[in-house]
Amino acid sequence: MRKILVGIAALAILGSCNSTKNVKKAKRTIEVAIDLNNVVDDRVQVEVNPQKIKEASVVYQIPAIVPGTYVISDYGMFISDFKAYDYDGNEMAVEKLDTNSWQVNNAQQLDKVSYWVDDTFDSKKKHKIYVMAGTNIEAGKNFFLNLPGFVGYFKGKKETPYEILITHPTDLYETSSLLKKATTKEDNSEDIFIASRYDEISDNPIMYAPENSVSFNVNGVDVTMAVYSPNNIHSAKDMEEDLKKMVQAQTNFLEGFETTNEYNILLYLFDSKVYPWNSFGALEHLSSTTVVYPESYTKKQLANGMINGTVSHEFFHIVSPLSVHSEEIHSFDFNTPNMSKHLWMYEGTTEYFANLFQVNQGLISEQEFIDEMQGKINTSKRFDDTMSFTEMSKNILEGKYAQNYSNVYMKGALIGMTLDIILREESKGTYGIRDLMKDLSKKYGAKKPFKDDEIIPEIVQMTYPAVGDFFKNHVEGTTPIDYNIYFDKVGVKETVETVDVSYFLDNKNQPFLSVNDKQEIFFTKRSNSGLKALGVQGGDVIKSVNGEDFTLNSARQIIGKSFQWKEGDALKIEVIRDGKTIALEGKIIKPKAEAKNLKVQELSADNPKVKLRNAWLKG
């Protein structure tokens, strides 16, 4: 953690906006003050000085959506007591335009706006903000500042520089990738952060917490992990070895990439007794990530699930979208978003890299990697496999497309995998998707976006006609990918065997169930001998099992009970088929199903398939 300190001159910056209105600056800077010492009713106050406004009216906006979430969040829900003041300290009229926007007229007289911010973590309001994109205000203990929840922008002035003064308890320490102003002070009570434009504010979260962090340098990247463990169960030091091992492997994998020299991990471990959250994870930012996980997890669970899974995925976002992204990402519209077509790259390639680097760096075996890919194939089949991926991406905020969002981590990664095999085959093993992303990152980088409609033709021009055919048919087009065609090229073969399963889950815990638009659970076409004997058909909506209503809330418990069922006992499942309730009754049997497994073939070292496989996985 690098703490850059604040000087005496900074003390007056926002104590009174009047004191700064006549200060001449090289470039007009929006000044923000956030007071973390004065927490009132779980809220903190924010003041914003826009400097001199030339327009007759101005609109201040809090983001409705932020990059990486792909859902409308409406952070403005948590803003209250929004006020505007003129240069004489008089309150001005404010018109609230919508959940996230406030308009001030006679704006030439505007000195500052102020408002109070409530946090999302303990809110009773119904909202769609993911916990890792959320905010926490816990007086004297923790402040989890995803800044879109605290700081907005004046419409039309998003490219204006910012300076943020944060006053905070002296026993809490900040962690952030946001640039700190190079000034000094004697005590740990204030910090000044600067940003060249609002997008940098949005993309650089800050966490204040008691000291519990580790820092190290791996291959030229300064890495810091700051941990807030409310019951002091976990320390950052305990996670250092696993984190360092992962980052070492990832930076080795990314050798030659020009990405970032700093990466910060802001980890909030929540007490499940206080916050019974079922959903948690991480959100990528420019050179950091916010992570929310249960404090009850063991060190091993955190290492396997959080560090080697979630955080490893987020780290690879330093490639895309940090270094390779479209204009829609570079100048993101936080209130009327225009989405990019290329989630196959931003999330899909990132997730693929998060798996590929592990086999490439010897952390897992080739078969373990193939098993991961097979799991993604199985899960991807729950989504619409004929939906154009670029069309879905462009319209991801709309209903039918939003329902397929999670497929970006499944089919999106498989698109990356298939493209990688095609590139390796066409180049005779010398060029893969990692080389492609490296070339794109060198051409564009963090400050130069590509045009959304031009990147696929450009990739085709850089590579091979076969790549163009793949994009046309399977990414822009609607033709499902036959993965076996590509696995065969690298000596991976599909085998079929009969295995024991349960009534609701297969031998790899993949369900024979799915959920429709009405949040009803139904049986898929993929089945087993137990369900077939009972008369279940694909598409049947489950109403009850042995008299218990089968809903999203009860499903886990009922499925758990099914593992204790005994052969010969009675079984009754009520389903809705064609609008009618049907009772399916029979005796419990031991279900079996055909399992398709992908196996790495044992072939001679000089076999062309082995050579291509080695180039693909180890090159």
Side-chain angles (χ1 to χ4, degrees):
M1 181 173 64
R2 294 184 298 171
K3 186 78 169 177
I4 310 300
L5 306 176
V6 181
I8 296 175
L11 297 179
I13 282 183
L14 277 167
S16 168
C17 288
N18 286 324
S19 66
T20 62
K21 66 181 181 181
N22 295 318
V23 175
K24 187 175 181 180
K25 294 177 178 286
K27 187 175 184 181
R28 182 175 289 119
T29 300
I30 293 173
E31 296 175 344
V32 180
I34 303 175
D35 184 0
L36 302 183
N37 288 317
N38 184 31
V39 178
V40 179
D41 296 329
D42 205 33
R43 302 180 304 162
V44 298
Q45 189 175 41
V46 177
E47 291 188 352
V48 184
N49 174 10
Q51 306 300 330
K52 188 67 176 176
I53 299 291
K54 297 179 180 179
E55 294 82 4
S57 66
V58 68
V59 176
Y60 186 77
Q61 294 185 301
I62 292 288
I65 183 175
V66 295
T69 59
Y70 312 106
V71 65
I72 297 296
S73 299
D74 285 335
Y75 286 94
M77 291 172 58
F78 300 92
I79 303 299
S80 60
D81 298 329
F82 189 99
K83 296 180 180 180
Y85 297 92
D86 65 20
Y87 288 112
D88 294 321
N90 300 312
E91 190 172 341
M92 302 175 67
V94 174
E95 180 184 359
K96 187 171 184 179
L97 302 180
D98 55 43
T99 302
N100 306 292
S101 305
W102 296 261
Q103 180 170 304
V104 180
N105 296 324
N106 299 317
Q108 295 97 334
Q109 302 302 314
L110 178 64
D111 180 30
K112 68 177 180 179
V113 299
S114 71
Y115 49 88
W116 288 80
V117 179
D118 197 356
D119 63 349
T120 67
F121 274 21
D122 58 4
S123 176
K124 304 300 181 186
K125 295 180 180 180
K126 291 185 178 180
H127 63 85
K128 296 182 179 180
I129 299 175
Y130 297 120
V131 292
M132 50 279 199
T135 57
N136 186 48
I137 298 171
E138 197 169 351
K141 295 181 179 180
N142 175 268
F143 296 92
F144 196 72
L145 310 183
N146 273 299
L147 288 175
F150 293 84
V151 182
Y153 59 94
F154 291 94
K155 191 173 182 178
K157 302 178 184 297
K158 200 159 64 72
E159 299 301 311
T160 306
Y162 275 72
E163 189 167 282
I164 302 177
L165 169 65
I166 299 180
T167 56
H168 60 87
T170 57
D171 57 349
L172 300 185
Y173 297 83
E174 57 81 20
T175 302
S176 178
S177 294
L178 195 60
L179 210 58
K180 273 78 73 176
K181 197 169 183 178
T183 51
T184 60
K185 66 175 185 182
E186 296 181 356
D187 63 354
N188 178 50
S189 62
E190 297 174 341
D191 296 297
I192 287 184
F193 301 91
I194 57 176
S196 64
R197 61 194 189 111
Y198 182 75
D199 291 66
E200 289 183 16
I201 299 291
S202 168
D203 239 337
N204 285 285
I206 307 170
M207 184 170 78
Y208 282 91
E211 282 193 299
N212 184 7
S213 66
V214 290
S215 298
F216 52 84
N217 183 284
V218 175
N219 289 336
V221 180
D222 290 325
V223 179
T224 293
M225 171 184 273
V227 178
Y228 177 64
S229 180
N231 298 302
N232 296 315
I233 294 174
H234 293 284
S235 73
K237 193 67 178 176
D238 289 340
M239 306 179 200
E240 182 177 16
E241 183 179 352
D242 292 312
L243 180 62
K244 189 178 291 186
K245 179 180 179 182
M246 183 200 73
V247 176
Q248 179 75 60
Q250 289 185 292
T251 51
N252 288 344
F253 180 82
L254 293 177
E255 184 180 1
F257 279 78
E258 297 174 6
T259 53
T260 183
N261 57 9
E262 177 184 9
Y263 197 79
N264 291 291
I265 301 162
L266 285 53
L267 173 58
Y268 183 99
L269 297 172
F270 66 91
D271 186 336
S272 299
K273 294 178 181 178
V274 178
Y275 300 123
W277 294 329
N278 292 319
S279 177
F280 48 87
L283 177 65
E284 80 272 9
H285 296 82
L286 281 172
S287 55
S288 61
T289 183
T290 49
V291 188
V292 178
Y293 257 71
E295 190 183 35
S296 58
Y297 271 31
T298 64
K299 178 185 174 182
K300 184 177 181 181
Q301 285 177 309
L302 290 174
N304 293 338
M306 185 196 73
I307 294 176
N308 295 329
T310 303
V311 174
S312 69
H313 170 97
E314 302 306 327
F315 184 84
F316 277 118
H317 276 300
I318 64 176
V319 176
S320 182
L322 171 58
S323 298
V324 186
H325 56 258
S326 70
E327 293 170 332
E328 287 79 358
I329 301 295
H330 189 73
S331 296
F332 191 77
D333 192 326
F334 295 89
N335 289 80
T336 53
N338 179 24
M339 309 306 285
S340 169
K341 295 179 180 179
H342 303 294
L343 279 175
W344 67 268
M345 177 190 292
Y346 308 138
E347 296 294 347
T349 301
T350 298
E351 176 65 11
Y352 175 58
F353 278 3
N355 287 271
L356 180 64
F357 95 94
Q358 296 188 57
V359 65
N360 180 270
Q361 295 296 308
L363 302 180
I364 62 174
S365 69
E366 292 182 355
Q367 186 59 56
E368 286 174 317
F369 171 78
I370 296 299
D371 290 343
E372 287 292 327
M373 294 301 102
Q374 182 173 13
K376 291 187 181 298
I377 292 172
N378 293 339
T379 304
S380 72
K381 301 303 181 185
R382 301 181 202 168
F383 302 95
D384 186 349
D385 202 27
T386 63
M387 180 177 284
S388 163
F389 225 78
T390 49
E391 182 180 338
M392 177 191 76
S393 183
K394 186 66 179 176
N395 300 284
I396 197 64
L397 300 180
E398 299 177 15
K400 71 174 184 178
Y401 301 104
Q403 293 167 11
N404 284 269
Y405 167 69
S406 294
N407 206 18
V408 301
Y409 304 103
M410 305 304 157
K411 187 173 181 178
L414 296 167
I415 288 171
M417 178 197 75
T418 309
L419 180 59
D420 201 7
I421 294 173
I422 293 171
L423 287 169
R424 289 293 181 182
E425 181 182 36
E426 293 292 320
S427 67
K428 294 181 172 52
T430 62
Y431 194 89
I433 194 171
R434 183 169 40 160
D435 303 284
L436 172 63
M437 295 305 296
K438 185 190 300 183
D439 290 343
L440 289 173
S441 68
K442 288 180 178 179
K443 178 174 182 178
Y444 290 102
K447 296 183 179 180
K448 181 182 177 183
F450 61 73
K451 292 188 178 298
D452 218 47
D453 290 334
E454 297 178 5
I455 192 62
I456 288 179
E458 182 177 350
I459 289 172
V460 175
Q461 187 177 24
M462 291 169 62
T463 56
Y464 307 95
V467 171
D469 293 338
F470 175 73
F471 274 112
K472 180 181 178 180
N473 295 326
H474 305 297
V475 182
E476 297 172 297
T478 60
T479 305
I481 303 170
D482 185 345
Y483 300 105
N484 287 334
I485 292 175
Y486 300 95
F487 281 129
D488 181 66
K489 297 175 185 292
V490 291
V492 175
K493 187 176 181 181
E494 184 179 81
T495 62
V496 179
E497 56 183 328
T498 300
V499 297
D500 291 332
V501 297
S502 73
Y503 273 83
F504 301 107
L505 303 175
D506 66 14
N507 61 317
K508 294 186 177 179
N509 289 322
Q510 295 294 319
F512 297 105
L513 315 167
S514 191
V515 181
N516 63 22
D517 298 346
K518 299 178 181 179
Q519 299 299 292
E520 298 169 326
I521 303 173
F522 65 91
F523 287 109
T524 63
K525 293 180 180 180
R526 196 171 68 95
S527 190
N528 60 62
S529 61
L531 296 177
K532 290 177 181 177
L534 203 61
V536 169
Q537 295 181 12
D540 284 350
V541 173
I542 310 172
K543 186 176 182 181
S544 68
V545 175
N546 286 340
E548 293 186 73
D549 290 343
F550 197 84
T551 66
L552 288 174
N553 291 329
S554 65
R556 180 176 294 183
Q557 184 177 7
I558 294 174
I559 291 172
K561 289 181 180 179
S562 72
F563 294 113
Q564 308 303 318
W565 290 351
K566 296 180 180 179
E567 288 185 72
D569 286 353
L571 175 60
K572 179 181 178 180
I573 299 180
E574 284 188 313
V575 301
I576 300 174
R577 184 185 300 164
D578 299 326
K580 298 179 181 179
T581 299
I582 301 173
L584 304 175
E585 300 184 62
K587 299 291 184 180
I588 293 172
I589 65 173
K590 194 168 186 178
K592 295 183 181 295
E594 284 192 345
K596 294 180 179 180
N597 295 307
L598 293 167
K599 298 293 182 183
V600 177
Q601 293 178 279
E602 294 185 7
L603 303 170
S604 62
D606 60 351
N607 189 295
K609 293 182 179 182
V610 173
K611 291 182 178 180
L612 184 58
R613 185 202 305 159
N614 289 337
W616 170 41
L617 299 180
K618 300 295 184 180

